[in-house]
Structure formats: C-alpha cells, structure tokens
Amino acid sequence: MGILESSVIKGFVRLCDDGWQQGWHERNGGNLTYRMKKEEVEECKPYFNYDKPWVNMGVKAENLAGEFFMATGTGKYFRNMILDPEANICIVEINEAGDSYRIVWGLKNGGGPTSEFPSHFLNHSVKVKETDGAARVIYHAHPTNIIALTFVLPLTDSAFSKVLWQSMTECPVVFPKGVGVVEWMIPGGAEIALKTSELMKKYDIVVWAHHGLFVMGNDFDSAFGLMHTVEKSAEIYVRMLSTGLPMLQTIPEDKLASVAEAYGGKLAENLL
Ligand code: 13P
Ligand code: ZN
C-alpha cells in the first residue's frame, strides 16, 4: 500500500476538497495542518527522507518538539489537492528545541509549508495543552460571509459571538465559548501568530478581520464542521441584512445560555 492510500492523507485531502467546493479557497487561499498520531507516523515513515534542511520558524513551542505535521504547501491551491496530493502537501518534523521544521515527505516539485505555519504551530501548541493532546487540526479558510461581517460589525469578540449565536439556533451549542477577533494585521508571520494563539487560549474560533477564519478540531470532521457552522450563521445574518427589511425578531439573548445548556454546554455569558 502506498502512502497516498493511508486514511490520514485521504482525510486531509477530503477536507481540502470539501473547503474548495464550499468556495472558501480562491487561488491559494487558506491552509490546513494536522498533528499526526504516533501510529500514523509509523505507517508513513517508510516514505520519509531526511535530506532537507531544518528551517527556523521564528516562533517556538517546546510541547511540540519531535511532532510530525501534515501541512498544505504555501502558494498551493486547495482546488488541486485532490489531483496530486504529493505535489501540494507535505509532512514536516519538528526539532527537539520546538523552533524549526524539516520537510520529510511531499511537495515533490519543491516549496515549503504554508506561510501561516507559525500561526498554525502556536495554535496547535495552545490546543494540545488545553485538550491534553486531543486537538489535532488547525484550519484556516477565507469564507465570504464571515469576512463581509468584519466590515460592518465592531471588531470585538462579543459583537461577533453574539451575532453568530443569534443567527442560527445550533450556534450556542456548537461553539458556546464564542469567537475571538483579531483586527486587520499583516498575515504570514510571528506577530499575527502570537496574537491568534493568545485568543485560542479562550476560543476554538478566531476571526481575522478582512481576511478569514481559523478554527481548531480534534479531527477533520469537527474542524470542517466548525468552519461550516460559523460561515453558515454569518451567511444567514448577511442575507437577513441584505433584504433591507427591518429585523422584527431574533433568538432572545437571555435564552442563548439555555440553548447551550440543553446540550450540555456552558455559554460564555460574559460576551453578551
Ligand atoms: P499560503 O498559500 O502560504 O498557505 O497562504 C494562503 C493564505 O491564506 C494566507 O493567509
Ligand atoms: Zn489566509
């Protein structure tokens, strides 16, 4: 069996293609990383080579030393992932200091992991700690409606959390902790990575103003599902606004916590 037959690569590619089909990945927009399980690393190891140099990331996380990540390549199109995974994704190994990576598989025509790898990496670091190792996926996309809202809503955690919770009844259940918001910043470096990972200590979802969304998941389904739910709620709100009609009613604010509670969640009521 070749490495491309492994279920972990199939799952990774499926998420990329699902995101493309949703229209969240124009050109090379968006990126995905996955922290591999020990048994997945063992399964893929026969295909690794260790010739590539270590590359310093400009950020450091000691709790990710020695981990292996699958990552989309920088400049690569989600549209193409399904056609040729080995040209568009890579597996990287993290060094013992937790500050550098080296490519051990993939990107057969050259290139490196996503330019947002520092953000993904620090988010993984925060989430591994918070979930005792359960969290594995960080997903960044450019969904239209959530981006549109960053032009018309105040760029605060509470404004976004409240609108998204109130636009679709499932939302307080799916993300009771709410949503963090990063003001517009230059993407692709350590500064935005630090800012995002600070918010990831409180949230599983972070909006990047005028840019997109970061979510975390324990597996591909939960990460994709979270992205999908947030964007769907944003779409409902945008469509409601675009009717130009006055809003006559919405989900009562004082009932949001009870919705979360009905499914065993605890709403971050400080955001209301
Ligand atoms: P990459 O092609 O480097 O992954 O960048 C795409 C992107 O969405 C930047 O935020
Ligand atoms: Zn982006």
Side-chain angles (χ1 to χ4, degrees):
M1 189 186 85
I3 188 171
L4 296 178
E5 261 58 71
S6 71
S7 56
V8 62
I9 292 196
K10 284 186 173 166
F12 189 97
V13 169
R14 179 177 172 221
L15 187 153
C16 292
D17 200 57
D18 286 346
W20 156 249
Q21 308 262 0
Q22 290 293 328
W24 302 336
H25 298 286
E26 77 295 338
R27 203 173 180 277
N28 64 310
N31 23 75
L32 175 66
T33 57
Y34 172 77
R35 188 174 58 83
M36 296 172 77
K37 296 178 183 166
K38 295 269 172 293
E39 60 270 25
E40 291 162 344
V41 174
E42 286 312 311
E43 188 189 351
C44 295
K45 243 182 190 159
Y47 303 92
F48 291 176
N49 79 68
Y50 302 94
D51 301 341
K52 301 253 172 32
W54 292 103
V55 179
N56 188 279
M57 293 182 279
V59 294
K60 183 171 173 161
E62 276 162 13
N63 67 340
L64 297 179
E67 294 278 355
F68 288 79
F69 288 90
M70 294 181 57
T72 49
T74 184
K76 302 301 183 191
Y77 292 25
F78 271 49
R79 177 172 169 250
N80 293 336
M81 297 293 165
I82 202 164
L83 295 179
D84 193 353
E86 201 168 353
N88 292 293
I89 66 181
C90 61
I91 295 174
V92 299
E93 178 184 10
I94 305 301
N95 68 351
E96 282 314 308
D99 64 3
S100 304
Y101 69 78
R102 66 175 170 186
I103 297 172
V104 296
W105 178 83
L107 290 174
K108 65 181 182 193
N109 304 322
T114 169
S115 61
E116 305 294 4
F117 199 75
S119 282
H120 284 252
F121 187 69
L122 291 189
N123 291 343
H124 278 291
S125 173
V126 165
K127 290 300 176 189
V128 162
K129 202 157 144 197
E130 180 194 312
T131 65
D132 208 12
R136 297 204 169 267
V137 183
I138 298 288
Y139 179 29
H140 168 58
H142 296 174
T144 308
N145 295 284
I146 196 81
I147 297 171
L149 288 184
T150 66
F151 294 87
V152 296
L153 288 182
L155 295 176
T156 63
D157 303 358
S158 70
F160 271 78
S161 299
K162 206 175 125 184
V163 157
L164 293 167
W165 282 338
Q166 282 190 300
S167 296
M168 195 167 71
T169 299
E170 282 296 293
C171 290
V173 177
V174 176
F175 51 95
K177 288 189 280 184
V179 174
V181 181
V182 173
E183 74 279 14
W184 186 84
M185 289 178 79
I186 308 274
E191 203 185 338
I192 197 165
L194 286 164
K195 192 88 188 236
T196 309
S197 63
E198 267 313 300
L199 287 172
M200 279 287 184
K201 289 178 184 165
K202 280 200 267 182
Y203 306 110
D204 295 335
I205 305 160
V206 175
V207 176
W208 279 5
H210 321 318
H211 183 147
L213 196 61
F214 263 86
V215 300
M216 87 89 180
N218 292 354
D219 53 32
F220 295 123
D221 275 352
S222 60
F224 183 83
L226 195 50
M227 185 72 74
H228 204 186
T229 306
V230 171
E231 171 58 4
K232 176 129 190 221
S233 186
E235 181 177 357
I236 291 168
Y237 191 71
V238 167
R239 287 196 188 205
M240 185 274 290
L241 292 179
S242 67
T243 64
L245 300 170
M247 182 162 66
L248 296 185
Q249 55 274 320
T250 184
I251 300 168
E253 192 175 319
D254 63 353
K255 294 289 189 297
L256 290 170
S258 317
V259 180
E261 215 173 275
Y263 290 85
K266 174 140 186 42
L267 199 84
E269 291 184 68
N270 59 307
L271 293 170
L272 292 174

